[in-house]
Structures are given as structure tokens and as C-alpha cells.
Amino acid sequence: MKEVFAYVIGLGAAVMMPVIFTILGALIGIKFSKALKSGLLVGVGFVGLGVVTALLTSSLGPALKGMTDLYHLNLPFFDLGWPAAAAVAYSCAVGAFIIPVCLGVNVVMLVAGVTRTVNIDLWNYWHFAFLGAMVFFATGSLAWAFYAAIVLYVITLCMADFTAKGFQDYYKDMDGISIPQPFCQSFTPFAVVICWVLDRIPGISKLDIDAEGMKRKFGLLGEPLFLGLVIGCGIGALRCDSWKAVVDSIPQILKLGVTVGAVMELIPRITALFIEGLKPICEQTRSFVEKRFSGLKGLSIGMSPALVIGHPTTLVVSILLIPVILFLSVFLPGNKFLPLASLAGMFYLFPCVLPITKGNVPKTFVIGLVALIAGLFFVTNLTPAFTKAIAAANCDGIAVPEGFEGGAALDFASALWCWSIYHLTVTLKWIGAALAGLLALGMCAVNFVRIRRAK
């Protein structure tokens, strides 16, 4: 099973998801040709997103590396990016069985009336497997590993339900869709608390600037395309050690600026392909489940946050945060992690934050900044466990480079739910595991009451 899932995950989302959605579409009654087209559009979306994010990483990588060398920003923990986390996730029995186990938990929760989300975002199940694998390699116990993964899954489904209405109201064409992805949902508590605080600060509460408002007020200067150009050029200039070097590097600086601007412009166009491909699957899945399970009305279909990462506010805040978090990572006392490979995943921080901030750029920026600062400490704290898991998993091509003390990925090791549940089950053991279980059950109880009242 481990080898089978390692093979499947090796296919990548661009191949895996079209196959899954084509089969799923055919099973729930969509005409095969239409199901195949929907699946292929999803695959094309993943290919496009992969190409664009790889372009961003490959373009920013040398410039950021030049900055780290110039300013001696050497930190001992290496950023391996999300592929390392996914490889670790499917390197033990947790990863091999995570999809059927979580689907079974989803069915039980639906029947029990403690969720209304049908999570068919199978690609992102690696997040649950990752936490389980981390716990397994830390404790040697599959029981604890599956317990941690299931607790995370239950909490994530409840969070998806709690945020579904706001998500659907805020984003266009997202009726009946929720986001059961634990990385995104880890930032929802930050957004709720920080928004509550900001709304009570005189002056700040009235500062309401969204991406569309920036466009209207500043014209071209407020466009994500132009902001990407400016920030790209700024990063390119910062890698130069003198004004002469800046002048000599003008072609490279302009190329980097145009490339970052292109990424900002292309991502919304690519995410439109996801919507086009997934919408028929979503609608038919809801209809299919509601017909066969009496009482399951008002379902949401759990989908990838890739659907909405092209929102202008997400793009603007993500690009603004890249240089800021790089600067802060060097000066934060106690931080040992320099984010580089994970920066392309910055966009996935905001899909569930924007419905809470209503797209307000300053609020979203503050939430992202606070969440990422906390995330740097989370990933610094988890890096020893991550490094141990990499060594134990013995994944081909995944290793910490020489000269570094450890390796991790900002993409998920920085997430609140991952960090919390890991320490509850591994560090606090029985008491912590009980607390994690009580949290999950408490959220289920709240969700049950909420669902009953909505009928």
C-alpha cells in the first residue's frame, strides 16, 4: 500500500485529480465525456498553477539567495518546500490508508449530523497524512499517528462548515463549496481575533481599502500586475551591493519585475479553469448525496483553495509579505528558519481569511504578518521532528543539504492546527491527546447544534 500510494502521489495533482474527478463524475451520473472534460480542466489548472508558481520560485530564488548572501542572512534550518512534506506524508502506513480512513470518518460525521461538508479534495489529504507521519516517527505508534490525523480531519471539517457561508457569500460562483484544507483553516482563528482587535482601534476600524478600491483610487498603481512589477524590481535591486551594480543589473531587475507581475496577472486566469472544471462535479455531487441520504440538505462540497487564490487581495498581500517576512525572519529572536522554497505557497494563507476581512488589504496584511511571525516560531519548533521524519522516511531526493542543522517546510509545519495537535499528542501525551479529542468533540457538538438550528 505504501508503494502504491507513493506511486500515485508521484503522479502529481495534474494527473491524479483529472483521473479522480473523471471517475467520480461518471459514478455520480455525469455523462462520461463531460466528466472527462471537467477532470481535464482541473488537470490543466494544476499544470498552469504549477508552471506559474515554479516560475515565481525560479525567478525569485536566485534574487533572494543573492540577498541572503549579501546580507549574511544565514539561518541553520533549510526550507525544503511542500514536496518534502508530501513525501514524508506518504512514507508510512498512515499515508497508505489516510484516504479511505478519512473518507470513512467523513461519512460517519455526515450520518451523525456533525458536518455538512463532503470532502472530495483528495489531493490535499496529504496534509492529514503529514501530521500522522510526524507523530508516527516521533512515537513509533501507528495508533497515535492515526489518532492525530483523525482529530485534525474532524477539526478541519468543522472549520470548513463554520466558514462555509462566509466563504460562499464573499467569493463569486462558490455556492455550495467549502474549504476543508487544514493549512488554510489554521489562519481562521488569527483572522477572527485580529479583526476583532483592529475593529476596536480608533482610525484603524475605518481604514477600508480593498483591491478593487486600490484600482479605483490609484489606477494602474493599484493593480496587482503593477505591484508585482514594483516588488519584483525592488527585490532584484536589493541583491546588488552598490548603485553601480544596480545600474549594471537593470536588465535582470526589469526581467524579474515583469516576471512577478506576470505571475500576479496569470494566477487569476488559471484559477478560472478550476472553477469551470469543478463546478459540474460540485453540483452533481451535492444532488447525488442529498438524493441518497435523507436529511442531508444544505451540503457543501469540500474543494481545494486553489479555486480562489487568484483573488486580487490575496495576490497583493502575498507579494507584499514576501520581502517583509524575509526581513523579519532574520531579526526575530529565536527564529532559525529562512523561508525560500515555501514562498510560492504564500497565496494559500488567505482563502479563508478574506471572507472575514471582506478583502480589506490593511487588515489582511496585518493578519498575514502576525500569522507568519507565529508560523516562523512554529516551524522552528517543529524542524527537529521534521528532520527526524525525513531521515526515518528515507525518501529519494529529499534530504537536508550539508551545512544546515535541519530542514522543514513553511507550507504546513507553520500551521496552527498541525503544531498544536502534534504537541498535544507527542509532548503532553495522554493528557494532551484527551484535550485534542475534547476540542474535536466540542467543535462537533457546536456544529451539530448549528446544523439543527439551520433546518
Side-chain angles (χ1 to χ4, degrees), residues 209-245:
I209 305 173
D210 62 10
E212 293 302 319
M214 288 175 63
K215 290 181 185 179
R216 289 192 298 270
K217 188 170 184 178
F218 300 108
L220 177 63
L221 299 179
E223 291 275 357
L225 170 62
F226 184 79
L227 288 172
L229 172 68
V230 172
I231 292 171
C233 288
I235 292 173
L238 284 173
R239 68 180 296 187
C240 301
D241 59 1
S242 66
W243 284 109
K244 182 179 183 304

Side-chain angles (χ1 to χ4, degrees), residues 143-183:
W144 280 122
F146 275 110
Y147 179 80
I150 290 170
V151 166
L152 177 62
Y153 190 74
V154 171
I155 288 173
T156 303
L157 283 182
C158 290
M159 291 296 299
D161 282 345
F162 296 157
T163 57
K165 186 178 186 307
F167 179 87
Q168 294 163 16
D169 289 345
Y170 180 73
Y171 292 104
K172 297 177 182 177
D173 301 319
M174 291 293 138
D175 290 341
I177 292 175
S178 62
I179 302 296
Q181 202 242 39
F183 180 73

Side-chain angles (χ1 to χ4, degrees), residues 91-174:
S91 63
C92 69
V94 183
F97 292 101
I98 197 67
I99 291 178
V101 167
C102 285
L103 286 175
V105 171
N106 199 168
V107 171
V108 170
M109 291 178 68
L110 285 167
V111 173
V114 295
T115 188
R116 279 297 179 265
T117 289
V118 181
N119 186 8
I120 62 173
D121 182 22
L122 301 183
W123 169 254
N124 280 316
Y125 274 45
W126 73 262
H127 289 261
F128 310 107
F130 170 71
L131 176 61
M134 291 269 288
V135 173
F136 172 73
F137 289 123
T139 65
S141 169
L142 273 176
W144 280 122
F146 275 110
Y147 179 80
I150 290 170
V151 166
L152 177 62
Y153 190 74
V154 171
I155 288 173
T156 303
L157 283 182
C158 290
M159 291 296 299
D161 282 345
F162 296 157
T163 57
K165 186 178 186 307
F167 179 87
Q168 294 163 16
D169 289 345
Y170 180 73
Y171 292 104
K172 297 177 182 177
D173 301 319
M174 291 293 138

